[in-house]
Amino acid sequence: MSEIILMSDPRVAAVPVYECGEPLVDVRRGPLLVDVRKQDDSDAFFYLREGVLERLLQAQARLPAGLRLLVVEGYRPPELQRRYFGKYAARLRAEQPEWSEEQIRSAASRFVSPPEIAPHSAGAAVDLTLADADGRELDLGTPMNATPEESAGTCYTDAAGISAQARTHREILGRVLTAAGLVNYPTEWWHWSFGDRYWALATGAASACYGLSQQDT
């Protein structure tokens, strides 16, 4: 896709889903670094579809020596997704009272996917960054999960206005994840997915293989 298609775009919701039934698996059982900033009592964020985890391991194997992937969030329960979307939409509604509900939904989807099609709630999306050999998070231009407003748009993957070093780190991250078959959501440099509706639209696949999932651990 050369244009930025937002999660709220009807073309995303129109992609059919033929659920393959692949399980959610615990990313802590492998060699990936896992950050605990999203940890809660359910430990839900530790889980991803098996095929997504396999591709992350392929991506990590392609990294230059001394670099590692750092996973921050995987699976997100549907109720939590609804809460995140509603909170951000309410914030935008208060800041932009002249906007229509359609504008609010579209703007909110730059940062939080509409719950009914959310890749995180399918176990298909992962928020991640790069770390060095000692596990120290590298500079990728903005804090992870910085909103478009907070970052003045530099959370967009191809945004100008970040340092050369941060740009290089984003390029490395993008290169290895793309080679492993994942796609990026262009408004969030940290968000990558495989097998969901957005992935299908971006790659031209006829359908998605991962639909909304319930954690079963």
Side-chain angles (χ1 to χ4, degrees):
M1 293 183 295
S2 58
E3 62 175 311
I4 291 182
I5 296 178
L6 296 177
M7 289 286 183
S8 60
D9 192 297
R11 287 173 287 182
V12 180
V15 173
V17 179
Y18 298 103
E19 171 60 52
C20 67
E22 194 174 279
L24 290 164
V25 293
D26 191 335
V27 301
R28 294 170 295 183
R29 296 174 184 167
L32 296 176
L33 289 174
V34 181
D35 187 283
V36 297
R37 73 188 76 176
K38 290 283 187 175
Q39 188 169 13
D40 58 21
D41 291 340
S42 72
D43 279 351
F45 83 102
F46 286 126
Y47 290 81
L48 285 169
R49 294 288 188 136
E50 192 170 42
V52 179
L53 177 56
E54 289 173 358
R55 285 164 176 80
L56 291 184
L57 296 176
Q58 293 170 19
Q60 178 154 281
R62 292 183 170 96
L63 283 172
L67 296 184
R68 299 182 68 184
L69 297 178
L70 176 63
V71 174
V72 175
E73 185 174 17
Y75 176 70
R76 187 181 296 157
E79 178 53 39
L80 183 58
Q81 184 73 28
R82 285 190 289 271
R83 189 157 71 245
Y84 282 175
F85 188 81
K87 182 178 180 179
Y88 187 50
R91 171 181 165 181
L92 293 173
R93 201 174 287 116
E95 294 173 351
Q96 306 291 346
E98 74 283 2
W99 283 4
S100 68
E101 282 305 302
E102 183 177 349
Q103 288 174 301
I104 293 294
R105 177 180 167 83
S106 177
S109 76
R110 297 169 304 162
F111 185 63
V112 187
S113 175
E116 65 275 11
I117 55 94
H120 278 290
S121 296
V126 58
D127 293 342
L128 78 173
T129 187
L130 290 175
D132 65 17
D134 296 319
R136 291 186 294 260
E137 189 171 340
L138 302 185
D139 175 22
L140 273 83
T142 73
M144 183 177 290
N145 291 320
T147 68
E149 293 79 19
E150 291 164 346
S151 67
T154 54
C155 60
Y156 281 48
T157 306
D158 292 333
I162 63 173
S163 70
Q165 183 182 57
R167 173 63 58 201
T168 296
H169 291 157
R170 288 191 189 188
E171 289 172 352
I172 292 170
L173 184 67
R175 184 167 60 249
V176 299
L177 291 169
T178 299
L182 285 86
V183 301
N184 173 241
Y185 189 42
T187 64
E188 300 176 334
W189 59 260
W190 56 84
H191 177 108
W192 292 79
S193 69
F194 172 85
D196 61 297
R197 282 173 161 141
Y198 197 86
W199 165 88
L201 185 64
T203 62
S207 62
C209 58
Y210 302 143
L212 298 185
S213 179
Q214 293 293 330
Q215 184 185 27
D216 182 11
T217 61

